[in-house]
């Protein structure tokens, strides 16, 4: 009997979540001019992003993954921050 971990059928990670650099390359350039600015944003809003299900933090070489709602959540957080500073 093989003792291997089987993927969960409804696990969205393989299809819907992408690594942070890949998200920036495909979708993030309009919102974050540089990858460094995206990294800063993730550091500042880490808890909120995780709470919203937009970010999965993994230690080690696996890296951080963005969910399909990362862009809309990022815009919402930036809008809220902007409104608070007016």
């Amino acid at each position: 009997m093989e003792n291997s971990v089987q993927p969960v059928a409804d696990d969205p990670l393989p299809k819907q979540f992408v690594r942070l650099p890949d998200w920036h390359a495909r979708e993030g350039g309009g919102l974050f001019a540089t990858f460094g600015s995206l990294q800063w944003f993730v550091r500042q809003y880490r808890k909120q992003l995780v709470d919203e299900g937009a970010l999965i933090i993994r230690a080690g070489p696996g890296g951080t993954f963005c969910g399909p709602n990362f862009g809309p959540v990022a815009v919402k957080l930036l809008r809220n921050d902007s409104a608070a500073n007016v």
Side-chain angles (χ1 to χ4, degrees):
M1 179 190 270
E2 187 176 321
N3 188 12
S4 64
V5 176
Q6 297 296 318
V8 178
D10 61 350
D11 182 1
L13 189 59
K15 296 177 186 168
Q16 296 174 336
F17 283 77
V18 296
R19 292 183 65 237
L20 196 62
D22 298 333
W23 182 86
H24 183 260
R26 284 195 294 181
E27 301 180 40
L31 193 55
F32 302 101
T34 65
F35 182 64
S37 65
L38 173 59
Q39 290 175 306
W40 176 88
F41 176 81
V42 168
R43 283 193 303 271
Q44 298 303 308
Y45 294 96
R46 177 183 180 122
K47 180 175 180 2
Q48 295 96 321
L49 291 165
V50 170
D51 289 348
E52 293 274 351
L55 196 69
I56 294 177
I57 308 289
R58 291 178 44 189
T64 301
F65 285 82
C66 298
N69 64 332
F70 184 87
V73 169
V75 169
K76 180 179 91 170
L77 292 170
L78 291 169
R79 281 184 180 155
N80 291 346
D81 198 35
S82 294
N85 292 317
V86 176

